[in-house]
Amino acid sequence: LAVLLAVGSAVCGNTAIAATAPVLGARPREVAYAVATITLFGTLAVLFYPTIGRFVGLPETSFGLWAGVAIHDTSQVVAAGAAYGPAALDVATVVKLIRNALMAPLLMLIAWGWSTYGDRVGDASTQVRPSLRRAIPPFVLGFLALAALRSIGLIGPEVASLFDTVARALILVALAGIGLSTHFRELRETSWRPLAIGLGVAIVIGLGSLAAIDLLGLGTGLR
């Protein structure tokens, strides 16, 4: 459960949890608890980060950097960036997808470390060997493909505008789906300690990255 919470906070939220769980042989309740915890604090970030960003006077690009670094799930990052402004959305999306791409080498390291030092859960038939195909979220490849098509001109401004409208609608559906799939009963049935760890990690990542961005002026040169 600790590893699932760690990858969910550090990389790409629920996608990272789903990719890591088979490698660890995690139990369904552990996966559900990790997903619920990451979703809860990521959703709170969507609600409060734009307000905090405006309160401290972050430029759109700096806020996009903060959201891409500190918010857990990709859909939550996109929602927070869109709420702040178009430049924030662009920067947040790119930064978050760079984090997502790091899932591949991280999953290999987790698999090696778990097989060497961790507890094995289940027999050999239940163990899943990690692979790059499983480690890289498919939507990252889709993002790179569409970015390439847009860059070389095969997707024009009119089509891009249409896709943008569709994407905004789908993000609303995705966020609604996350809310509908979150069962607070799972949180009540498990110890409060993992929930406290999730809260502590969210606070440390959020405040630490905000302080670094604000004090060092990061993100102001992005466009």
Side-chain angles (χ1 to χ4, degrees):
L1 180 55
V3 176
L4 294 180
L5 289 172
V7 297
S9 301
V11 190
C12 50
N14 297 336
T15 304
I17 293 172
T20 306
V23 176
L24 309 181
R27 294 186 292 270
R29 171 173 289 190
E30 293 171 333
V31 176
Y33 192 97
V35 168
T37 302
I38 293 301
T39 300
L40 173 63
F41 294 122
T43 302
L44 291 176
V46 172
L47 296 176
F48 290 109
Y49 272 35
T51 301
I52 296 173
R54 292 188 176 94
F55 178 77
V56 301
L58 284 180
E60 283 195 26
T61 52
S62 295
F63 178 85
L65 179 60
W66 182 37
V69 167
I71 299 179
H72 301 327
D73 205 69
T74 304
S75 60
Q76 297 163 346
V77 169
V78 172
Y84 206 79
L89 172 60
D90 291 343
V91 173
T93 301
V94 172
V95 171
K96 185 64 176 71
L97 289 174
I98 291 174
R99 284 174 61 193
N100 294 349
L102 295 175
M103 188 68 237
L106 180 60
L107 189 58
M108 298 298 173
L109 290 173
I110 290 174
W112 173 82
W114 194 259
S115 63
T116 305
Y117 303 106
D119 297 327
R120 288 187 175 274
V121 180
D123 55 28
S125 63
T126 64
Q127 297 298 321
V128 179
R129 178 172 296 181
S131 67
L132 287 177
R133 181 179 62 82
R134 293 178 57 86
I136 301 178
F139 60 82
V140 174
L141 302 179
F143 169 82
L144 295 175
L146 289 175
L149 293 176
R150 182 73 174 97
S151 298
I152 64 179
L154 292 182
I155 296 179
E158 297 81 6
V159 177
S161 177
L162 175 62
F163 282 180
D164 181 66
T165 301
V166 173
R168 291 175 185 271
L170 293 178
I171 284 297
L172 292 177
V173 175
L175 289 175
I178 290 175
L180 292 172
S181 63
T182 302
H183 301 284
F184 289 99
R185 175 174 52 84
E186 295 286 350
L187 300 181
R188 293 197 303 269
E189 293 177 354
T190 311
S191 170
W192 58 269
R193 292 182 179 85
L195 186 64
I197 291 174
L199 173 61
V201 170
I203 292 175
V204 169
I205 293 176
L207 293 181
S209 57
L210 176 61
I213 291 169
D214 189 40
L215 294 176
L216 300 178
L218 302 177
T220 55
L222 300 174
R223 56 187 176 90

